[in-house]
Amino acid sequence: MKLVVHLIGLFVAISLLSGCWDSEEIEDLSLLVGVGIDLGEDDQLSLTHQILLPASGQSAETPAPSYENATVLARTVHDAIREVAMSKNVLFANQQRLIIINENVLKSLPLDAVINQFIKDNDTRRSCIIMVSKDPAEQILSTGEDGSVPSNDLYSLSENISATSKILPSITLGQTSASLQAAGSFAIQSVSIKEKMLKLDGAGVINNHSELAGMLTADEVSYMNWLEGNIEGGIIVGEHKGKRFSVEVIDQTNKEIKTTVNDSQVTIDISTEYNTRLSEDWYSNEDSFSSSYLKEIEKAAEKEVERQVGIILDKLQNDLKSDAPGFFYYIRSQHPKFYKQNKNNMDEIFSKANVQFKVDLKIIDFGAKGATN
């Protein structure tokens, strides 16, 4: 019996020593972290593949680049990948974090066609995020500080949503695929180059036909986040007694979205509540220790938010005619029969919907300064 045990132990040890039969040296892999898609010449696509380079032994005075970009022209996305393989090692997409699509591509092609290969590819991570670019995607993936990788920089910037309301929640490849299958509109974060730096800047709205309906500014992204009840941070700048103030969002305490259907008329009621902090007040006679004074600030801030929501609601319903906030998800869950009958007309139904918005802001902190007398 002891002999059998020893033989089993020996067999296990030998198996462990053999290592992974299908392992590859990291130097032999092209680790893909980002892909940029632009329009090329002669009805072709121009794909830029951002590939991580293994660390070298160069000195800090002359640091080696940490990535390289391989740009090729092809008729399809998959064809582009094969073109890259003619000059680079086979692409390893398990580390891919980002897909950037130039807005001109989406003016010519539906989004579902552009990302079809990524969705079909088993190696591409469903968690990689998608962005739209105002500048050529090739330029976006070539912009950054020395030693930094643009794809990683953009991925990190997308996590700043708790610091500002002007950034959309990241939308992944998997979420994009699900939204397209649900035949609903949605928005994708946009990026641009400002003063030689990458900046998250607005959003592209995809309608329920997988087409680019239009672009939103950074301010309009903030307005839409308020409309959705999707604020994780940021500030509201308003005026009280003719002087400016800033109210900072701390956290959301309540969110309720109800939809009602009467024949083909849809009503959407949005109610949200937030705890906030009075972070800045230019009124010289402020008295933050007074509950009535804080109530005045709260009402002024709520009025400003409602003004902003009115602006974006008008643009979404009348100009873009797209349910970018995704209220169709609430219709689907609360009125499944109506949704099933009108699944392909959600944008039209939203554009005619009666949307009611209410926000309740409560200031629970105002810092160290209060009454001035």
Side-chain angles (χ1 to χ4, degrees):
M1 184 63 183
K2 289 184 177 180
L3 179 61
V4 173
V5 172
H6 286 309
L7 288 174
I8 292 174
L10 182 61
F11 176 77
V12 172
I14 293 174
S15 299
L16 293 174
L17 288 173
S18 64
C20 298
W21 65 271
D22 61 345
S23 65
E24 297 184 60
E25 295 295 333
I26 191 170
E27 291 82 1
D28 297 330
L29 298 174
S30 290
L31 299 179
L32 184 68
V33 288
V35 173
I37 306 176
D38 295 301
L39 280 181
E41 299 177 352
D42 300 325
D43 195 31
Q44 295 189 94
L45 293 175
S46 175
L47 267 74
T48 300
H49 300 79
Q50 189 148 91
I51 301 167
L52 287 183
L53 296 178
S56 69
Q58 295 192 26
S59 65
E61 288 76 13
T62 56
S66 54
Y67 71 91
E68 63 177 347
N69 290 339
T71 301
V72 296
L73 291 173
R75 297 295 299 276
T76 66
V77 172
H78 200 183
D79 187 30
I81 295 173
R82 296 300 182 225
E83 285 291 322
V84 173
M86 296 176 66
S87 58
K88 302 291 179 184
N89 292 331
V90 176
L91 296 176
F92 187 72
N94 285 358
Q95 303 301 315
Q96 185 175 339
R97 310 183 82 182
L98 183 67
I99 299 172
I100 302 176
I101 308 171
N102 181 256
E103 62 177 323
N104 290 327
V105 175
L106 296 177
K107 290 177 181 177
S108 303
L109 297 169
L111 177 61
D112 56 358
V114 177
I115 65 171
N116 183 265
Q117 195 279 332
F118 298 108
I119 294 173
K120 289 179 177 293
D121 182 19
N122 291 330
D123 290 332
T124 303
R125 297 169 61 181
R126 291 297 184 270
S127 60
C128 78
I129 62 176
I130 295 181
M131 291 185 178
V132 176
S133 69
K134 298 179 180 179
D135 300 293
E138 182 179 4
Q139 291 184 19
I140 297 289
L141 291 178
S142 302
T143 301
E145 298 180 3
D146 291 341
S148 67
V149 180
S151 292
N152 291 341
D153 291 344
L154 288 172
Y155 191 90
S156 297
L157 285 175
S158 69
E159 297 176 338
N160 289 342
I161 189 170
S162 61
T164 175
S165 60
K166 296 183 180 182
I167 297 177
L168 283 176
S170 298
I171 184 166
T172 66
L173 177 62
Q175 291 168 335
T176 302
S177 176
S179 294
L180 291 172
Q181 291 178 28
S185 293
F186 56 97
I188 302 176
Q189 179 67 56
S190 178
V191 59
S192 63
I193 301 173
K194 301 289 186 181
E195 298 179 354
K196 300 181 180 180
M197 294 181 62
L198 296 177
K199 181 180 181 181
L200 300 184
D201 185 20
V205 174
I206 306 298
N207 65 21
N208 64 352
H209 298 295
S210 190
E211 301 167 339
L212 181 66
M215 301 295 291
L216 302 180
T217 67
D219 285 338
E220 289 170 339
V221 165
S222 174
Y223 303 167
M224 191 172 73
N225 279 332
W226 279 107
L227 174 63
E228 292 181 65
N230 211 16
I231 299 293
E232 295 185 23
I235 62 171
I236 308 154
V237 177
E239 286 194 4
H240 175 248
K241 296 185 183 297
K243 302 296 182 180
R244 295 179 191 172
F245 65 82
S246 293
V247 168
E248 180 181 18
V249 175
I250 298 175
D251 57 25
Q252 186 178 79
T253 56
N254 187 49
K255 172 182 174 180
E256 189 173 13
I257 298 179
K258 292 182 178 180
T259 61
T260 56
V261 177
N262 185 8
D263 292 329
S264 60
Q265 179 64 47
V266 172
T267 299
I268 305 171
D269 288 298
I270 307 145
S271 178
T272 58
E273 299 176 8
Y274 296 89
N275 285 330
T276 64
R277 181 173 73 93
L278 180 57
S279 60
E280 188 174 4
D281 191 347
W282 289 9
Y283 182 54
S284 60
N285 295 320
E286 71 159 297
D287 187 0
S288 299
F289 290 107
S290 168
S291 59
S292 61
Y293 181 83
L294 293 181
K295 285 293 182 183
E296 292 176 5
I297 298 291
E298 290 170 354
K299 294 303 178 185
E302 291 167 358
K303 185 176 180 180
E304 174 60 20
V305 171
E306 290 168 358
R307 182 191 70 82
Q308 296 174 2
V309 166
I311 292 173
I312 191 61
L313 192 56
D314 178 68
K315 181 168 184 174
L316 293 173
Q317 288 188 304
N318 298 318
D319 296 339
L320 303 184
K321 299 185 184 301
S322 298
D323 179 20
F327 292 125
F328 71 91
Y329 282 115
Y330 295 92
I331 297 174
R332 184 175 69 177
S333 63
Q334 296 172 9
H335 307 279
K337 183 177 179 180
F338 176 82
Y339 172 79
K340 186 176 181 180
Q341 294 172 342
N342 298 275
K343 176 180 178 180
N344 296 320
N345 299 314
M346 283 292 104
D347 277 350
E348 181 181 354
I349 288 171
F350 167 74
S351 67
K352 299 176 181 178
N354 178 25
V355 181
Q356 303 292 329
F357 175 83
K358 183 179 184 302
V359 62
D360 185 5
L361 303 175
K362 184 178 181 181
I363 297 175
I364 63 173
D365 181 28
F366 49 81
K369 189 175 184 297
T372 59
N373 54 358

